[in-house]
Amino acid sequence: MARVVFLVFFGLTGCAILVWLGTWQIQRLGWKEEVLAEIDSRISAEPVALPVAPEPDPDKYLPVEVSGTVSDTELHVLVSVKHVGPGYRIIAPFQTEDGRLILLDRGFVPTEEKNKARQTGPMTVIGNLHWPDEIDSYTPEPDVAANTWFARDVPGMAAALGTEPVLLIARSQTDPNMTPLPVDTVGVPNDHLQYAITWFSLALIWAAMTAYFLWRTRAKPESRG
């Protein structure tokens, strides 16, 4: 009898914890969807003028419109685009009409077009400010000789090009042969539904195993009788 009580207590406790974890992940899913909706709304809002002193936290994803001049100096950031393959993000200095110098992420070109001449000079660009978090302990240092970067290191790129540490990612086209890669929420992780399914599945397995052990426990005395 004591063993049955223990199994029931252990089984109910385990199921309760697993169900609670699954429910918590559902709640987190709702929260994350609200966050993503807010980010999407901010990204697609009407563009404003470039702030005087943009900051990473309050101005992340801020849509802006600037007029000025694109330089022919470039940095090339190695990336891979789904259904397209490897290529480079083209990062160039952009001098605004009031004399400021910022970084402009112009978009994507395939590998074979890395060193192709591109349209430069005066233009108006619509895009979003961003400070991508793409660097970790495994990110290689830039290959300066080959002009190849492996992440959008905003402070590092700004130092290399002599600009403000401000990156504008174009969502309007700045060259006919270049594909803009605008800011979106695709890269923002949202795995809470998968986690919830995992916890609820484990709760069902736990309940089934508990029922099995209870059946085994009750079946043994009956078989001996």
Side-chain angles (χ1 to χ4, degrees), residues 56 60-61 89 91 105 128-135 151-155 157 166-169 183:
K60 191 174 184 178
Y61 308 123
R89 282 183 179 267
I91 311 296
D105 183 334
N128 297 84
L129 299 182
H130 195 25
W131 289 261
D133 183 13
E134 298 177 344
I135 300 175
R152 288 177 294 175
D153 174 7
V154 174
M157 293 189 301
V166 175
L167 177 64
L168 175 62
I169 301 179
V183 176

Side-chain angles (χ1 to χ4, degrees), residues 65-118:
E65 180 176 354
V66 291
S67 295
T69 304
V70 179
S71 169
D72 57 2
T73 304
E74 296 179 348
L75 297 180
H76 305 142
V77 182
L78 183 64
V79 295
S80 182
V81 174
K82 191 174 182 180
H83 305 309
V84 178
Y88 297 89
R89 282 183 179 267
I90 305 302
I91 311 296
F94 184 89
Q95 185 169 21
T96 65
E97 290 181 335
D98 58 357
R100 296 173 61 182
L101 201 60
I102 64 172
L103 297 167
L104 176 63
D105 183 334
R106 304 188 62 183
F108 173 85
V109 296
T111 303
E112 61 272 16
E113 296 185 11
K114 175 182 179 181
N115 297 312
K116 183 177 180 180
R118 278 171 273 278

Side-chain angles (χ1 to χ4, degrees), residues 1-209:
M1 182 64 182
R3 186 176 181 182
V4 171
V5 172
F6 172 77
L7 285 173
V8 170
F9 174 78
F10 190 69
L12 290 177
T13 301
C15 283
I17 292 173
L18 293 169
V19 168
W20 177 80
L21 288 170
T23 302
W24 178 67
Q25 287 296 337
I26 291 294
Q27 294 170 345
R28 293 283 293 174
L29 174 63
W31 166 79
K32 180 56 73 69
E33 288 178 342
E34 289 180 1
V35 170
L36 293 176
E38 182 178 343
I39 293 174
D40 282 331
S41 176
R42 181 174 177 81
I43 289 173
S44 59
E46 286 297 312
V48 299
L50 180 67
V52 174
E55 296 183 9
D57 289 331
D59 294 316
K60 191 174 184 178
Y61 308 123
L62 180 70
V64 301
E65 180 176 354
V66 291
S67 295
T69 304
V70 179
S71 169
D72 57 2
T73 304
E74 296 179 348
L75 297 180
H76 305 142
V77 182
L78 183 64
V79 295
S80 182
V81 174
K82 191 174 182 180
H83 305 309
V84 178
Y88 297 89
R89 282 183 179 267
I90 305 302
I91 311 296
F94 184 89
Q95 185 169 21
T96 65
E97 290 181 335
D98 58 357
R100 296 173 61 182
L101 201 60
I102 64 172
L103 297 167
L104 176 63
D105 183 334
R106 304 188 62 183
F108 173 85
V109 296
T111 303
E112 61 272 16
E113 296 185 11
K114 175 182 179 181
N115 297 312
K116 183 177 180 180
R118 278 171 273 278
Q119 180 178 325
T120 58
M123 63 181 69
T124 297
V125 180
I126 296 175
N128 297 84
L129 299 182
H130 195 25
W131 289 261
D133 183 13
E134 298 177 344
I135 300 175
D136 57 29
S137 58
Y138 299 101
T139 304
E141 291 295 319
D143 185 342
V144 177
N147 190 12
T148 299
W149 293 61
F150 302 95
R152 288 177 294 175
D153 174 7
V154 174
M157 293 189 301
L161 294 177
T163 73
E164 297 179 33
V166 175
L167 177 64
L168 175 62
I169 301 179
R171 67 186 194 210
S172 60
Q173 195 170 55
T174 64
D175 183 279
N177 299 312
M178 195 179 306
T179 304
L181 293 179
V183 176
D184 57 34
T185 55
V186 172
V188 181
N190 184 16
D191 301 320
H192 298 293
L193 180 58
Q194 291 90 322
Y195 293 152
I197 292 172
T198 298
W199 290 122
F200 288 137
S201 298
L202 288 173
L204 287 174
I205 294 170
W206 192 284
M209 292 299 294

